[in-house]
Amino acid sequence: MPKLDLPRGNAAIGQSGGPTAVINQSLVGAIEQLKTFKSVKKILGMRHGVSGLIKDELVDLGRVPKTQLEKIARSPAAALGSSRDKPDAEYCAKIVEACKRHDIRYYFYIGGNDSSDTCRIVNEMANAAGYELRCFHIPKTVDNDLMGSDHTPGFPSAARFVATAFLADSLDNASLPGVKINVVMGRHAGFLTAASALARPRGKGATKNGVPLGGPHLIYVPEVAFDQKQFIADVQRVYDAIGRCQVAVSEGVQDASGVPITTTLVQGLERDAHGNVQLSGVGGLGDGLAELVKKNVKTKSGKAPRVRADTFGYLQRCWPDPSPVDAKEARAAAKFAVSLAMKGERSASVAIVRKSSKPYKSEMKMIKLTDVAAKTRHMPPEFLAGTNDVSAKFVQYLEPLVGPLPEVARL
Amino acid sequence: MPKLDLPRGNAAIGQSGGPTAVINQSLVGAIEQLKTFKSVKKILGMRHGVSGLIKDELVDLGRVPKTQLEKIARSPAAALGSSRDKPDAEYCAKIVEACKRHDIRYYFYIGGNDSSDTCRIVNEMANAAGYELRCFHIPKTVDNDLMGSDHTPGFPSAARFVATAFLADSLDNASLPGVKINVVMGRHAGFLTAASALARPRGKGATKNGVPLGGPHLIYVPEVAFDQKQFIADVQRVYDAIGRCQVAVSEGVQDASGVPITTTLVQGLERDAHGNVQLSGVGGLGDGLAELVKKNVKTKSGKAPRVRADTFGYLQRCWPDPSPVDAKEARAAAKFAVSLAMKGERSASVAIVRKSSKPYKSEMKMIKLTDVAAKTRHMPPEFLAGTNDVSAKFVQYLEPLVGPLPEVARL
């Protein structure tokens, strides 16, 4: 092993993008590991990510007592504050300037693929300017859409919320039968919507004429073109078979030409700094699909069925009952990123590799920033089944990540 | 004590209206107590309430094994199936006929105020027809709007979901500051929306210039006239003070003349069999209020703030993490109703009476069906504070019912 030439200076940590239930586990994991890093003087927290860094809004994280850190680790959402800024070249130059100003030599950014891209640009600009700044990306996203990972910290906890919600809501739907549409987060990747499949009872007697007796009965993800006529026919078929129908649909479902269904149903949508249409928290997709069902699906008596729609919204990413696996891995991923810095790496991201499913085991792996930056992972074909379902392989993939769901029974 | 003249025959139990997380505790409590009632032959469950009863869709509940019953008790939503039917005189006559047909002498109906009214009518019609039928109402509603009770089974568990949701969502909102509007169930009574107040940190340092630092910062309930201009001014004031604002608003908020705000914002609303406008599961109120804020509230730079709205929907009534107090009381209320029948009462409803708050103690009390039938309880003035908040007295009232919330921390 070559002798390490580690610069001595401060470390900075930031949190970016939509928060998760375990993003603070990563924050606390990074702090813990940085405390063992002799080349690091101060551990600085960026208030609201890069937007706080360039305004010198920094917190001395080395002074936070251990008991307080543990409480923070268990709290959902970004304790440092998060940011939706997508830095351009000028903004990244300001970040490098701020790092120089605060003697920051180690830069850790917890976020999604946009964040890893910012890491990459900042690293390159600092190098070009002759300032030694080592940049590490710590993965986080409820969407599970980062390349190179078996799954992403934050996703299993959000999946746990979604599966629990569908489980309870399916019992509610069986109580008062009708069509129930639940809109789940997921702009481009359907993993979180697909997680609803965990709510279904499995094994003997779990289906009737090929229709699952417990919901969700239909699952629509952005990876499969959404056809309104097919949707109506699907709902009619399930309703005819069992007298009710629970639907899981991604907020980002789109038609064959790639136009989001939401935009054809709702007016005046907002775009964020990344140019993305704002889909979360808009009831429009669910209400629009409910209207489609009311107008086109018929009960045996020829009337419209009872139809309701819920949009799960931000609770998916912040519900304070994280998956135990997720809490552990989110902390481990951050510790691993710091350990890469301690080994002399100059820039990297971290991926989770699954070693086995039964019993579940994983380990962390170093990947390049460019392997994850600004790329989106989609559900692979083997996780999909037809145009309105997921495969048994997907359920096997997801089950060990989520933890046990409440045990329920029906008469 | 006079000698009891108890008719011998079957007992029937039904579940009605919107399900709750503990309505099956009441079902199982009734079954348990009925098993000790010597005058009862069979314990029959109505499939989907009265609609199943008149179609002879009955289940023999005496045969369900105890372990299965305990699993059912812990499951949310109505295990027998529920019904939204509101029986008229003709329908009630069919109910009496079905009771005669199945030798039903004891009739137990778990539901809200409409259900207790059905109990009353069925009891009166059976009496008038000379058929001895004893009718008991077992209270249930997440809305907490039944007369005569300290609170209603089902409400504490829904309140637990709402408080937990606001707690987590407030951390999310602090991570990415903006205006966040959460729409909570409650057509006429604001108790469930008011439950959001439990999410606030209390004690020293919990407010800044009179504004709570933790959300919800503003609470709007149907009991207080909602004024759109005042709402905009309220949000502006909170946003100016702390740079963000989390709002709790009942789906049923209405203006000074009693017109629901939703109807002025959303077209084509559906009405149920009770003539009520369908409010749950419609994203319109949240999205409409979000539009109001975007158009009228300004940040320091003169722009519109970041605004998002979520409608919590049916998860409020079925989330499978019930309040321990609620689970216990829901079972106790049903046992008490059966014990009234065993004591020779001919018709009654049950109310929960609070004996003390610290430590929390309650007991069950018999009330008349007419005390609860078709009446709605509202939040009393002492539970309200101004036009946009609830009182400390309300928080003291609610706290012991909900159980401990997750402990969270911020930097």
Side-chain angles (χ1 to χ4, degrees):
Chain A
M1 198 172 170
K3 190 176 172 298
L4 293 180
D5 187 20
L6 293 169
R8 187 166 160 77
N10 297 324
I13 314 172
Q15 295 174 305
S16 184
T20 78
V22 298
I23 189 171
N24 291 335
Q25 291 282 358
S26 293
L27 173 64
V28 171
I31 296 169
E32 277 182 326
Q33 193 70 21
L34 282 167
K35 283 181 177 174
T36 71
F37 191 177
K38 296 219 170 79
S39 303
V40 165
K41 293 188 286 186
K42 278 189 179 176
I43 306 167
L44 302 173
M46 311 175 199
R47 280 287 184 201
H48 297 288
V50 289
S51 80
L53 173 60
I54 63 171
K55 288 183 279 183
D56 303 322
E57 292 170 4
L58 298 166
V59 195
D60 187 347
L61 294 171
R63 290 169 179 243
V64 183
K66 194 170 160 47
T67 51
Q68 174 76 354
L69 284 180
E70 285 305 324
K71 276 188 202 170
I72 287 167
R74 288 192 299 271
S75 300
L80 282 171
S82 190
S83 168
R84 284 271 180 214
D85 288 359
K86 185 174 169 67
D88 55 12
E90 191 187 351
Y91 199 122
C92 287
K94 285 184 190 171
I95 294 173
V96 175
E97 283 309 309
C99 288
K100 286 184 188 174
R101 206 156 57 235
H102 293 283
D103 191 24
I104 293 164
R105 295 292 181 174
Y106 301 94
Y107 179 99
F108 297 90
Y109 214 48
I110 311 166
N113 48 15
D114 288 324
S115 300
S116 82
D117 206 27
T118 304
C119 268
R120 179 186 62 78
I121 298 168
V122 167
N123 185 245
E124 287 170 5
M125 289 182 80
N127 283 347
Y131 180 72
E132 189 157 9
L133 179 66
R134 301 185 174 197
C135 297
F136 300 88
H137 169 245
I138 299 164
K140 168 252 42 158
T141 167
V142 297
D143 292 330
N144 203 34
D145 62 354
L146 301 192
M147 298 299 283
S149 271
D150 178 77
H151 59 279
T152 316
F155 167 66
S157 296
R160 179 174 176 78
F161 177 87
V162 168
T164 306
F166 270 86
L167 181 68
D169 181 74
S170 178
L171 294 173
D172 190 294
N173 181 245
S175 295
L176 287 169
V179 177
K180 178 70 193 297
I181 298 161
N182 293 322
V183 179
V184 181
M185 277 184 171
R187 191 185 302 278
H188 302 296
F191 292 101
L192 201 51
T193 305
S196 62
L198 276 195
R200 288 180 190 152
R202 287 185 281 284
K204 220 180 78 177
T207 59
K208 180 179 172 182
N209 301 333
V211 173
L213 280 172
H217 307 102
L218 299 168
I219 300 174
Y220 300 98
V221 295
E223 285 84 352
V224 180
F226 185 90
D227 180 274
Q228 298 192 20
K229 279 186 186 162
Q230 186 58 48
F231 167 69
I232 292 162
D234 290 346
V235 173
Q236 185 71 61
R237 178 179 53 80
V238 173
Y239 197 89
D240 286 347
I242 61 166
R244 66 184 190 101
C245 183
Q246 189 196 36
V247 179
V249 58
S250 289
E251 59 184 358
V253 283
Q254 43 192 261
D255 65 20
S257 52
V259 178
I261 303 300
T262 301
T263 62
T264 64
L265 294 165
V266 190
Q267 302 299 317
L269 287 172
E270 196 181 316
R271 281 174 193 274
D272 68 13
H274 303 249
N276 297 321
V277 168
Q278 183 239 316
L279 300 175
S280 292
V282 170
L285 179 62
D287 292 344
L289 293 175
E291 276 306 305
L292 268 187
V293 171
K294 278 180 201 170
K295 283 184 188 151
N296 295 286
V297 174
K298 301 281 175 250
T299 65
K300 277 172 197 164
S301 62
K303 287 184 201 163
R306 184 176 171 273
V307 190
R308 297 292 180 270
D310 277 331
T311 302
F312 286 167
Y314 285 4
L315 297 183
Q316 295 165 90
R317 70 187 193 192
C318 65
W319 190 256
D321 175 30
S323 141
V325 163
D326 196 20
K328 205 174 142 192
E329 289 180 338
R331 194 180 286 217
K335 288 186 149 204
F336 186 78
V338 175
S339 73
L340 293 177
M342 292 169 77
K343 282 179 191 161
E345 296 297 339
R346 281 152 199 271
S347 74
S349 182
V350 177
I352 298 176
V353 179
R354 185 183 303 223
K355 302 307 287 182
S356 77
S357 281
K358 286 183 184 180
Y360 176 75
K361 280 182 197 167
S362 67
E363 62 179 33
M364 301 297 151
K365 181 178 84 168
M366 182 175 91
I367 57 174
K368 289 182 193 167
L369 288 175
T370 47
D371 287 344
V372 60
K375 288 173 187 164
T376 298
R377 178 191 178 202
H378 295 281
M379 287 187 77
E382 70 262 29
F383 282 175
L384 301 168
T387 59
N388 56 33
D389 207 349
V390 298
S391 67
K393 199 168 176 185
F394 174 74
V395 172
Q396 287 155 18
Y397 157 82
L398 183 59
E399 206 162 20
L401 304 182
V402 166
L405 300 181
E407 193 188 18
V408 299
R410 294 211 70 223
L411 276 171
Chain B
M1 198 172 170
K3 189 178 173 299
L4 294 181
D5 186 20
L6 293 169
R8 188 168 159 75
N10 297 325
I13 315 172
Q15 295 174 305
S16 185
T20 77
V22 299
I23 189 171
N24 291 335
Q25 290 283 358
S26 293
L27 173 64
V28 172
I31 296 168
E32 277 183 326
Q33 192 71 19
L34 282 166
K35 284 181 176 173
T36 71
F37 190 176
K38 296 219 170 80
S39 304
V40 165
K41 293 188 285 185
K42 279 189 177 175
I43 306 168
L44 302 173
M46 312 175 198
R47 280 286 183 200
H48 297 287
V50 289
S51 79
L53 173 60
I54 64 171
K55 289 181 280 185
D56 303 324
E57 292 170 4
L58 298 165
V59 195
D60 187 347
L61 294 172
R63 291 168 178 243
V64 183
K66 194 170 160 47
T67 50
Q68 175 75 355
L69 285 180
E70 286 305 323
K71 275 188 203 171
I72 287 167
R74 288 192 300 270
S75 300
L80 281 171
S82 190
S83 168
R84 285 269 179 216
D85 287 359
K86 185 175 167 66
D88 55 13
E90 191 188 348
Y91 199 122
C92 286
K94 285 185 189 168
I95 294 172
V96 174
E97 282 311 308
C99 287
K100 285 185 186 172
R101 206 156 57 235
H102 294 282
D103 191 24
I104 293 162
R105 295 293 181 172
Y106 301 94
Y107 179 99
F108 297 90
Y109 214 49
I110 309 166
N113 49 15
D114 287 323
S115 301
S116 82
D117 205 27
T118 304
C119 268
R120 179 186 63 78
I121 299 167
V122 167
N123 185 246
E124 287 171 5
M125 288 180 79
N127 281 347
Y131 180 73
E132 190 157 7
L133 179 67
R134 302 186 173 196
C135 296
F136 300 86
H137 169 246
I138 299 164
K140 170 254 35 157
T141 167
V142 297
D143 291 331
N144 202 34
D145 62 354
L146 302 192
M147 298 299 283
S149 272
D150 177 77
H151 59 279
T152 316
F155 166 66
S157 295
R160 179 174 175 76
F161 178 87
V162 169
T164 306
F166 271 85
L167 182 67
D169 181 74
S170 178
L171 294 174
D172 189 293
N173 180 245
S175 295
L176 286 169
V179 177
K180 179 69 194 298
I181 298 162
N182 293 322
V183 179
V184 181
M185 276 183 170
R187 194 183 300 278
H188 302 296
F191 292 102
L192 201 51
T193 305
S196 61
L198 276 195
R200 287 180 191 154
R202 288 184 281 283
K204 221 180 78 175
T207 59
K208 180 179 171 182
N209 301 332
V211 173
L213 280 172
H217 306 101
L218 299 167
I219 300 174
Y220 300 98
V221 295
E223 286 84 352
V224 179
F226 184 90
D227 180 273
Q228 297 192 19
K229 280 187 185 162
Q230 186 58 48
F231 167 69
I232 292 163
D234 290 347
V235 173
Q236 184 72 62
R237 177 178 53 80
V238 172
Y239 197 89
D240 287 346
I242 61 166
R244 67 186 191 101
C245 183
Q246 190 197 36
V247 179
V249 58
S250 289
E251 59 185 356
V253 283
Q254 43 191 262
D255 66 19
S257 54
V259 178
I261 302 300
T262 299
T263 61
T264 63
L265 293 167
V266 190
Q267 301 298 318
L269 287 171
E270 196 181 316
R271 281 172 194 276
D272 68 12
H274 302 249
N276 298 321
V277 169
Q278 182 240 318
L279 300 176
S280 292
V282 171
L285 178 62
D287 292 344
L289 293 175
E291 275 305 305
L292 267 187
V293 171
K294 277 180 201 168
K295 283 183 187 151
N296 296 285
V297 173
K298 301 280 175 249
T299 64
K300 276 171 197 163
S301 63
K303 287 184 200 162
R306 185 176 170 272
V307 189
R308 296 292 180 271
D310 278 331
T311 302
F312 286 168
Y314 284 4
L315 298 183
Q316 295 166 91
R317 69 188 194 193
C318 65
W319 190 255
D321 174 31
S323 142
V325 163
D326 196 21
K328 205 173 144 191
E329 289 180 339
R331 194 180 284 219
K335 289 187 146 199
F336 186 79
V338 175
S339 73
L340 293 176
M342 293 169 77
K343 283 178 189 161
E345 296 296 340
R346 280 152 200 273
S347 74
S349 181
V350 176
I352 299 175
V353 179
R354 186 184 303 223
K355 303 307 286 181
S356 77
S357 282
K358 287 184 185 179
Y360 177 75
K361 281 181 195 168
S362 67
E363 63 180 33
M364 300 297 151
K365 182 178 85 168
M366 182 174 91
I367 58 174
K368 290 182 193 167
L369 287 174
T370 47
D371 287 343
V372 61
K375 288 171 186 166
T376 298
R377 178 193 180 202
H378 296 281
M379 287 187 79
E382 69 262 29
F383 282 174
L384 301 169
T387 59
N388 56 32
D389 207 349
V390 298
S391 67
K393 200 169 175 183
F394 174 75
V395 172
Q396 287 154 18
Y397 158 83
L398 183 60
E399 207 163 20
L401 304 181
V402 166
L405 300 181
E407 193 187 20
V408 298
R410 294 209 72 224
L411 276 170

